[in-house]
Every structure is written in structure tokens, then in C-alpha cells.
Amino acid sequence: MKTENVSRTVLAGGVAAVLAATALLYVPELFGRTPAPGPGPAERAVTAAHAGAQAALPDLVALIGDRTAWLKDHPGDEASWAVLGTAYTERGLRRADAADFPRAENALKRSLAVRPAAKGNLDAQLGLAGLANARGDWKTAEQWAERVRAADPKRWSTYPVLIDAYNGLGDYKAAEKATETLGELHSGAAVAARSAQLNRNRGYREDAGAAALDAVALAEGRTDKAAALARLGDLAWERGEPAEALAQYGTALGLVRDHGPSLAGRARALAALGRPQEAVRDWQAALRVLPLPEYVLEAAELDEALGRDGEARTLYDRLRNGSWVGADVVLGLFGADHGEPAEAVRRLRAEWARGHRSVQVADALGWALHRSGASKEALEYAGKATGEGLRSALFAYHRGEIERALGDLGPARRHLAEALRLNPDFSPLLAPRAKEAATALGDPPNDLPPDVRAPQPTPARATAHP
């Protein structure tokens, strides 16, 4: 199910960029203090945000506490309300805690109450755009961010938010253009990360890896470097290189011991390398620090593949009964594969109708339709998912199985082979099924159909001799 984690990792960087738009420029009292012997955690969070980097989580928590205390005595400081709201959004993303999102919304609306959007409160508007992205409400995010761009086209921190929204909507041309503009306005690890994401979405795997390597080199703090290394590991995993991915995740965890994306990535790589018990251990650790719904699903499917049925059921129930925000694709895939395909179709059709037409939604909707018995309609969405440039083993597998059900055996062979070529271990549960399906199809028949056979020479008429 590894299709969204690179995007989610970059999304956290987008919210950090929003924080950069406000923190240094509008919280001068933080730097009027004289902490000894060096800057305190709140100041460190502000400095990281100004660079477009992810602050260490304890520093981000300290910034929230600092702004909360300040606002008790200065409730008319709209800029600090914007900082507080954006910091809540980032903390919610980094801890996978949706309880922070209402807090973020309240703070950002307080900022707008003090200084309305009509009077130029761009910080709060951009904060609301980042919050909408975090909730998976891409259309609302686009609307808020476009307002900020119209008012201040050279504000670099607007563009990561726009890129996230465009990608969520499936508007990849707009995302490409916004990435180019970002590169003209800013530099550093944040821009290199966006370049990596753009090249990945285009299907340019080598270019994506090179840009991700640049992001690692340009990252300054330990947290930001760990995020960049995790991104590099994700790209290696998607290329079917688990040993390389394992090395990148290990280096990231050497910098930040409880880095959730790296724990999840290492679990994936360990399972692919035939080390299942270590993989289970890392999934458990990842879910303790970052309980994302896609991680719950991946951990459950590994348990199922290993015959740990009780553990798998516990995780599936957790996914089924949890209060998840912006998780329609994950929940749709879960429903399609684990007993609720009709509900998955309903959920994903609603996403598509909202204008959320990314390749992830197209793939999940196509798969849910297939699993509910509508394979002919499913093929249309599977074609959209595999036709945009992103090279995904999961997408190719889904399309191959849909084609196999429809009797399109040639395309089915091709897409199943592509899935296993891209990443032969893309899922502990589905990759073995892909191998079984490819084996069942066998090699293409040697005999060609009549309409493409070369014409045979006409035998010469026998001549009678006396």
C-alpha cells in the first residue's frame, strides 16, 4: 500500500513553510529575550521554520506553549494567533493527532477576527490553507492559497501549500508550474524536496533520487535531515531496492531515534529482506509514535501474511473503528481488500465528485469497483492512475488484475510483470498474489492470431508431364 508516504512526508514540510511565513517576521519578542547559554526551544523552532525546515518536535511543542502563554496577555496579536494555529497543524501532522486540527482552526480564526482577510491578514489565510491540506480538503486549501498568491505572488511559502493542494486535486500541470516558481523564489532543502516529488510524480525515478540526495545535503537540522533521508529511502523502496532503503532509514534513525516515517520504512524494507520479526517490531514502534491509517493497514497486512491472525484482526478493527481525517484513499483500499467493497466505492466516488482526482483516488476507486464486480468501469479509473507518469507497483498490479478479470490477457500479463519489475515486494499480502496471477497467465502463446500471421506462399500448381 506504499503510495502516499512520500507525499505525506512532503506535506509536513509544506506546513513548515507556512510557519516560516509568520514566525520570524512577526514574533520579534522571542528574539528580544536573552536566554542562556543559547537559544531556547521556541527560538529554535522559529529559526527552523524560517529556513523552511521541520523543527524538532520538542521545540515545536515549546513554541506552542510559548505562544499560548503570550496570547493570554496579548489577545490582540493576530500574528501570534497565526503562528499558534500553524504550529498546531504541524504538530497534528507530525504526531498523527487530528485533535490538534480544531485547535489550529480556532487559533487561525482568532487571528482573522483580530485582523480580517480583507485587511491583509495573509498569514492566517495561508495557515488555513495548510490546515485544509492536512485534513485532505484539497479544494479548500487551493482556494485559500490562491488568495494569498494573488495578494503577494512572491511569497515563497505559499507555493509548497499550493503544490500539495494541486497534487491532491490531480492537477499535476499546475503543481509542476508552482514547483518551478518555488525554485525561482527560494532555495535549499525544501525546494530540493519538492523537485524530488515532482520528478517522482512524472516517473523520472533517477532524477527524483538525485533531487532527494540534494535535499539531504542541504538539510541543516537533525530533524530536517532525517526527513530528507526518509524520503530518499522511500524512493529507493519504490524502485525495488530494499537494502538501499534500509540503509537510508537507518541513518535517519541514527539522527532521530523515534522518526516515525523511517521506522515504518525500515519495517517495510526488513519484511522484503526476509526479516519479518524485526519488521513487526518496527511496525509496532512506528504506530506508537505516528499512528497513521496507512501504517495501521500495512502493519495489519504484514501480520496477516505472517499468519498472525489475531494481531491482524486487532489492527483491522482499529482501522475500521478509528476517527480518521483525510484518509479516504486508505479506508477505500481497506474496504476493497477486506470485505467492504461497496462502501469503499461509495466513499471514493464521493471523493472523486469533490474534485479530488489524484492518481491515488483513481487507483483506489478503480480497485474498489473491480472488487465490487464492476471491472469494466474499473478499468477506466485504473487507466487514469497508470497514465499520469507515477510508476507504482501497486497501481500496475491493480490494473493487471482488472484486465485479467475482463479477459484482456495480453495487457494483464504486461501490467502484472510491470508491478513485479518495479518492486517485487511492494506488499507482503499482494505481491505474492501478483506472482501467482502472473504464473497462472503464463507466457504469451507462440501462435499468432490469424489476422496478424504472415501470408503463406501459395503452392505451385502441379504440371502434368507425358
Side-chain angles (χ1 to χ4, degrees):
M1 296 302 171
K2 177 66 179 62
T3 61
E4 301 236 82
N5 297 334
V6 170
S7 298
R8 195 180 283 272
T9 300
V10 176
L11 178 61
V15 177
V18 177
L19 192 58
T22 60
L24 251 182
L25 296 177
Y26 298 107
V27 195
E29 72 278 358
L30 279 176
F31 292 92
R33 304 170 188 172
T34 55
E43 290 90 339
R44 290 197 299 267
V46 169
T47 301
H50 184 63
Q54 292 185 23
L57 190 55
D59 293 350
L60 184 64
V61 172
L63 177 61
I64 290 172
D66 188 283
R67 290 301 84 200
T68 301
W70 170 267
L71 286 163
K72 287 180 180 178
D73 297 325
H74 304 85
D77 183 353
E78 81 279 358
S80 284
W81 282 116
V83 170
L84 179 61
T86 303
Y88 271 133
T89 300
E90 185 174 354
R91 188 176 74 173
L93 277 171
R94 299 267 294 279
R95 300 198 308 192
D97 185 2
D100 269 337
F101 295 160
R103 300 182 185 113
E105 185 174 5
N106 290 336
L108 292 163
K109 287 184 174 178
R110 282 291 299 270
S111 179
L112 286 175
V114 176
R115 186 184 181 197
K119 294 188 177 180
N121 189 345
L122 301 183
D123 301 332
Q125 293 178 77
L126 192 56
L128 286 168
L131 175 60
N133 275 336
R135 287 171 159 166
D137 186 356
W138 315 114
K139 191 65 179 177
T140 299
E142 179 197 33
Q143 291 168 350
W144 280 115
E146 289 287 12
R147 292 179 191 177
V148 175
R149 177 163 69 169
D152 185 1
K154 294 190 180 298
R155 176 182 283 227
W156 75 264
S157 53
T158 306
Y159 291 91
V161 185
L162 276 171
I163 294 164
D164 289 331
Y166 292 146
N167 283 329
L169 293 168
D171 191 348
Y172 298 109
K173 290 184 179 178
E176 181 175 348
K177 187 173 181 181
T179 303
E180 292 170 357
T181 304
L182 173 63
E184 294 166 2
L185 297 174
H186 196 62
S187 61
V191 177
R194 294 292 168 172
S195 179
Q197 181 192 32
L198 174 63
N199 283 306
R200 169 186 178 262
N201 290 347
R202 286 169 163 173
Y204 302 159
R205 291 181 153 200
E206 292 77 10
D207 292 341
L213 197 58
D214 288 343
V216 172
L218 293 168
E220 296 182 1
R222 295 169 71 88
T223 301
D224 210 36
K225 193 171 284 290
L229 285 161
R231 189 177 303 111
L232 199 60
D234 287 346
L235 294 171
W237 164 257
E238 290 179 352
R239 294 194 304 268
E241 300 172 3
E244 172 64 19
L246 186 66
Q248 302 298 344
Y249 296 131
T251 305
L253 289 165
L255 295 170
V256 179
R257 185 177 59 182
D258 58 351
H259 190 249
S262 295
L263 285 167
R266 191 168 70 177
R268 242 177 254 120
L270 286 167
L273 292 168
R275 296 160 64 179
Q277 298 310 314
E278 294 171 84
V280 168
R281 175 206 66 197
D282 273 358
W283 272 126
Q284 292 170 346
L287 291 175
R288 283 194 295 271
V289 299
L290 191 62
L292 293 171
E294 56 263 41
Y295 291 177
V296 177
L297 180 56
E298 287 190 76
E301 290 186 340
L302 175 62
D303 281 333
E304 183 179 346
L306 295 175
R308 293 162 47 91
D309 295 338
E311 292 84 351
R313 279 195 301 272
T314 298
L315 289 173
Y316 288 142
D317 287 343
R318 178 177 176 181
L319 193 62
R320 186 177 291 110
N321 300 322
S323 298
W324 308 106
V325 175
D328 291 285
V329 168
V330 175
L331 294 175
L333 290 171
F334 167 63
D337 280 323
H338 302 283
E340 300 169 351
E343 171 58 22
V345 170
R346 185 205 62 78
R347 177 188 296 276
L348 293 162
R349 280 198 194 280
E351 278 296 284
W352 194 262
R354 291 172 67 195
H356 295 176
R357 300 186 176 184
S358 67
V359 290
Q360 286 80 16
V361 176
D363 167 71
L365 178 52
W367 186 241
L369 284 164
H370 164 69
R371 297 285 289 176
S372 67
S375 298
K376 187 173 182 180
E377 185 184 1
L379 186 58
E380 175 188 351
Y381 292 99
K384 293 178 186 294
T386 54
E388 284 288 348
L390 177 65
R391 301 178 69 190
S392 164
L394 180 66
F395 293 2
Y397 165 68
H398 284 164
R399 181 168 178 176
E401 286 285 43
I402 292 167
E403 290 164 336
R404 187 163 74 111
L406 292 170
D408 298 337
L409 302 187
R413 283 190 190 89
R414 185 169 67 253
H415 286 112
L416 290 169
E418 181 183 359
L420 296 171
R421 184 174 63 253
L422 289 172
N423 186 353
D425 302 295
F426 66 91
S427 162
L429 202 59
L430 300 181
R433 296 178 187 176
K435 293 169 186 174
E436 290 172 5
T439 300
L441 285 173
D443 295 327
N446 290 325
D447 56 316
L448 296 173
D451 56 336
V452 296
R453 290 178 185 163
Q456 298 298 313
T458 303
R461 183 184 299 272
T463 304
H465 295 283

